[in-house]
Amino acid sequence: LKQLQNEMLSRNGLYDAGIIVSPASQKLVVSLYCPVFDYDEKTIIGYVGGGPFAEELDTLLFSEEDRTTEYFMVNVETQMYIFAREDELIATKVEDEMLLSILPIVLEDESKWSGDTEYYDAKEGKSIAAYQYIPKHGWVVVSCNSEANIYADVNKNMNVLGIICIGSLVLIA
C-alpha cells in the first residue's frame, strides 16, 4: 500500500497502474488512482481509485468494420503487455519479435519516440507497425496491419480510376 501511495505522489496527479482484473467484477479494468489533498493542496486526506472497464477501450479501438488492425500497449521497462486484443496476453511478458524490436528503438533515441517499421508476418505477409512512445509512463502504443489491408482502399480506388480512364479513352476514340 505504501509503495502505491508513494508512486501516486511521484506522478503528481493521476497514477495509472495498467489493466488488471477487478476483484469486484472479475472483469478487466484500467486501474487509476489519485491522492486527494486538503485545501492547502499539500496535506493528503485520502486516496481514490477507479477502474473503467477495458471492454470500452476494446470497442473503441476495434471497430466491426476493421477487424484486421492490431493495437498493443507495452510497458517498455518491464516488457509486459498493458493492452492487447487477446485478454490472455495482458500482464504477460512480450514474446512477439516485432514488438520486441520496437522497444530498444524508443529507448535509444528521443527523436525515434514515434515512427513506423516494416516487418514480415507469417500469416499476413508484408506488414507495417506504427508506434508512439509515451515517456511519462514508459509505454509504447503500437498499431499494426498488413500492407495489403492498409492499401486496400487505395488499390480499389486506383482500379476504379483505371476503368474510368479506359472508358473515357474508348468514348473519345
Side-chain angles (χ1 to χ4, degrees), residues 33-135:
Y33 302 96
C34 186
V36 178
F37 295 94
D38 201 353
Y39 292 109
D40 64 4
E41 296 183 18
K42 291 184 175 83
T43 308
I44 297 174
I45 57 174
Y47 298 90
V48 295
F53 291 113
E55 290 172 357
E56 299 301 319
L57 184 59
D58 188 50
T59 56
L60 177 70
L61 289 175
F62 305 117
S63 67
E64 288 303 317
E65 299 87 47
D66 179 22
R67 297 303 287 179
T68 61
T69 304
E70 289 287 337
Y71 295 93
F72 301 98
M73 186 181 299
V74 175
N75 183 317
V76 175
E77 296 160 14
T78 63
Q79 295 187 354
M80 295 184 75
Y81 288 99
I82 297 170
F83 180 80
R85 180 179 283 178
E86 295 86 25
D87 292 343
E88 60 273 1
L89 290 177
I90 294 173
T92 63
K93 196 87 167 150
V94 174
E95 294 179 5
D96 184 274
E97 287 182 33
M98 179 273 298
L99 291 173
L100 289 173
S101 72
I102 292 173
L103 301 181
I105 294 171
V106 298
L107 290 175
E108 287 173 7
D109 187 356
E110 189 173 314
S111 69
K112 296 180 181 175
W113 282 357
S114 66
D116 58 74
T117 185
E118 292 182 4
Y119 67 99
Y120 185 82
D121 182 87
K123 198 167 61 174
E124 297 290 331
K126 193 172 181 184
S127 300
I128 299 172
Y131 61 87
Q132 176 71 46
Y133 179 55
I134 306 169

Side-chain angles (χ1 to χ4, degrees), residues 65 80 144 160 168:
E65 299 87 47
M80 295 184 75
C144 52
V160 170
S168 299

